[in-house]
C-alpha cells in the first residue's frame, strides 16, 4: 500500500471509529438510516470519490475507493453499502452517461453529500431478469410520463435524486430501455414500503413509485433505448464496490475473531493455540488476501479504462462468498457469545449474506464469467 492509500485508509478508519462505531447497534436495532452521517461523509470527500474535481468530486482512483469502502465496512457494512450505492450507482451513472449540463447540475450536489442518490433497476417481478421491466416511460411533447415501481432500492425514501431505468418500447424488443434522472418532489414520484431486513439494517431499502410522473426530456441520460446497456456498464464498476464491501465485512469479522481467540482461554491456553481454531483463522486470512488481490486487479483495469467485466465479476463472486464463510467461522470461534448481540460477529454474519445477492447474485456472476471465458 503506497503512502497515499495509507493516508486515505487512516482518514477513513479514524472517521469510522469516531462517527460510526459508537452508533452501530442503535442504528441496526432501529433500522435508522443516519442521513446526517452521509452529509459528513460528503465533507470528507467520500461521496464523490472517483468523480473528477471539476464536478466537485475527489478525483481519486478506484484503489482509493476500494480502500475507503474496506475501512468503513470493517466497522459497519451497512454504512459501506449505502456509500457504495451512492457512489457507484447513482453518481457514477450521471458521470458516465450524463452530458456536461447534467453533470454540472447534479454531480456537485451528490459529490458533496448535499443530496443522497438512489438508483432504480430492480422491480417486484424482475430481479436478475432486469430486461423485462414493467416501469414505462411514454413521450408526451418535451416530457416523458413514467408509471410503475422499483423495489429493493437503496435510499428510496431518504434519497433526493434517483437514476431510474424505464421501458420505452415493447417488452422483448431490442434496446427498449431508457434512463432518467428524477428529483424528489416531482408530482407522482413517491416512496413505498421500507423493507424490514435480516442485515444491512442501517442502509435504507424501499420502493420507488411512479404515478404519471412527468419528467423533462432534459433529464434523459444518453439516447433513447440505451438504458439497459448503461445499467450493465454501471454494474460492471458496481461489482468492485460490492467486492470491497465484502472485503471489509470479512476483515471486520476476522479481526474480531482473531482478537477474541487470543483472549479466550480453555483448558489452560488461548483458543487460537488449538489447531481447529488456528486452521479456521488461517483459512480466513488467506481468503481475505485472495479477495483483495482479485479486487485490486479489477480496480487496476478500471483505472486504466480496460475491459474488466470478467475480473469484476470474479472479484465480486469470490469476495462475497468468502465474506459469508468468514463471518460464519467468526461466529463459530466466538461460540455461544458469537450468537449474542453483545459481540460484533453476529452482525457481520447477518450483513455478509446481502453481498452474495445485491448488484447481481452469485449465480449471475458465474453466468457473466462463463460467458466471458467462453467467447
Amino acid at each position: 500500500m503506497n503512502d497515499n492509500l495509507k493516508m486515505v485508509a487512516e482518514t477513513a478508519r479514524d472517521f469510522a471509529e469516531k462517527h460510526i462505531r459508537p452508533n452501530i447497534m442503535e442504528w441496526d436495532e432501529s433500522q435508522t438510516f443516519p442521513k446526517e452521517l452521509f452529509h459528513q461523509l460528503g465533507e470528507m470527500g467520500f461521496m464523490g470519490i472517483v468523480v473528477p474535481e471539476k464536478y466537485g468530486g475527489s478525483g481519486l482512483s478506484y484503489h482509493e475507493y476500494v480502500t475507503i469502502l474496506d475501512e468503513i465496512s470493517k466497522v459497519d457494512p451497512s454504512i459501506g453499502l449505502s456509500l457504495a450505492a451512492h457512489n457507484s450507482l447513482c453518481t457514477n451513472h450521471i458521470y458516465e452517461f450524463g452530458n456536461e449540463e447534467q453533470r454540472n447540475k447534479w454531480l456537485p450536489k451528490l459529490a458533496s453529500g448535499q443530496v443522497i442518490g438512489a438508483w432504480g433497476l430492480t422491480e417486484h417481478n424482475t430481479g436478475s431478469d432486469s430486461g423485462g421491466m414493467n416501469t414505462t416511460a411514454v413521450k408526451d411533447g418535451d416530457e416523458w410520463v413514467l408509471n410503475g415501481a422499483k423495489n429493493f432500492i437503496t435510499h428510496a425514501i431518504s434519497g433526493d435524486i434517483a437514476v431510474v431505468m424505464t421501458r420505452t418500447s415493447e417488452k422483448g424488443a431490442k434496446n427498449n430501455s431508457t434512463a432518467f434522472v428524477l428529483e424528489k418532489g416531482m408530482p407522482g414520484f413517491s416512496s413505498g414500503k421500507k423493507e424490514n431486513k435480516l442485515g444491512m439494517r442501517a442502509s435504507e431499502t424501499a420502493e420507488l413509485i411512479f404515478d404519471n410522473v412527468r419528467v423533462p426530456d432534459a433529464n434523459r441520460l444518453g439516447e433513447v433505448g440505451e438504458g439497459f446497456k448503461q445499467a450493465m456498464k454501471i454494474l460492471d464498476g458496481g461489482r468492485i464496490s460490492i467486492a470491497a464491501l465484502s472485503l471489509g465485512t470479512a476483515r471486520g469479522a476476522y479481526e474480531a475473531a482473531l482478537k477474541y481467540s487470543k483472549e479466550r482461554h480453555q483448558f489452560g491456553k488461548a483458543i487460537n493455540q488449538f489447531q481447529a481454531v488456528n486452521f479456521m483463522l488461517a483459512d480466513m486470512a488467506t481468503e481475505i488476501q485472495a479477495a483483495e488481490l482479485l479486487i485490486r486487479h479489477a480496480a487496476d483495469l478500471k483505472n486504466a479504462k480496460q475491459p474488466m467485466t470478467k475480473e469484476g465479476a470474479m472479484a465480486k463472486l469470490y469476495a462475497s462468498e468468502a465474506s459469508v464463510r468468514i463471518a460464519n467461522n467468526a461466529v463459530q470461534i466466538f461460540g455461544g457469545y458469537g450468537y449474542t448481540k453483545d459481540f460484533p460477529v453476529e452482525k457481520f454474519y447477518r450483513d455478509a449474506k446481502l453481498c452474495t445477492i445485491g448488484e447481481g447474485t452469485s449465480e449471475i456472476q458465474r453466468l457473466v464469467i462463463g460467458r466471458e471465458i467462453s467467447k
Side-chain angles (χ1 to χ4, degrees), residues 34 36 50 61 79 86-87 92 105 115 136 147 163 190 192 205-206 215 229 242 287-288 291 300-301 323 344:
E36 184 54 42
V50 299
S61 81
I79 302 303
H86 173 93
N87 272 277
N92 195 44
K105 181 177 181 180
V115 300
T136 57
N147 281 287
V163 174
S190 63
T205 307
V215 181
K229 285 182 185 173
I242 302 301
E287 289 196 271
I288 286 169
D300 270 337
L301 293 172
S323 182

Side-chain angles (χ1 to χ4, degrees), residues 14-15 27 86 92 124 175 184 238 268 329 364:
D14 289 347
F15 181 90
W27 293 338
H86 173 93
N92 195 44
H124 295 269
N175 302 326
K184 277 295 170 72
N329 279 340
I364 289 293

Side-chain angles (χ1 to χ4, degrees), residues 23-63:
N23 306 297
I24 293 171
M25 290 314 293
E26 181 192 333
W27 293 338
D28 183 73
E29 294 279 318
S30 62
Q31 290 208 97
T32 298
F33 174 65
K35 193 169 182 179
E36 184 54 42
L37 178 81
F38 288 86
H39 298 318
Q40 291 176 286
L41 284 163
E43 289 167 17
M44 299 291 293
F46 290 172
M47 294 292 272
I49 299 168
V50 299
V51 173
E53 290 180 29
K54 72 173 184 172
Y55 301 118
S58 297
L60 299 172
S61 81
Y62 269 78
H63 282 303

Side-chain angles (χ1 to χ4, degrees), residues 17 44-45 67 108 112 122 130 133 140 155 166 168 193 202 265 277 284 298 308 310:
E17 289 298 330
M44 299 291 293
T67 298
S112 65
T122 300
S130 47
M133 67 183 80
D140 182 21
H155 311 146
T166 67
T168 44
K193 180 172 76 80
H265 284 70
V277 173
M284 292 156 86
M308 43 70 67
K310 178 187 72 178

Side-chain angles (χ1 to χ4, degrees), residues 145-161:
V145 182
L146 271 62
N147 281 287
K150 301 286 180 181
N151 79 327
F152 298 138
I153 306 304
T154 306
H155 311 146
I157 298 167
S158 298
D160 306 283
I161 292 172

Side-chain angles (χ1 to χ4, degrees), residues 94 102-110 161 181 183 218-219:
I94 294 171
Q102 291 168 333
R103 288 173 172 181
N104 286 314
K105 181 177 181 180
W106 290 304
L107 288 179
K109 294 177 186 175
L110 288 160
I161 292 172
V181 179
E183 298 184 60
N219 286 32

Side-chain angles (χ1 to χ4, degrees), residues 184-199:
K184 277 295 170 72
M186 286 179 166
F189 180 32
S190 63
S191 306
K193 180 172 76 80
K194 182 175 178 177
E195 302 295 343
N196 186 9
K197 302 187 308 243
L198 169 73

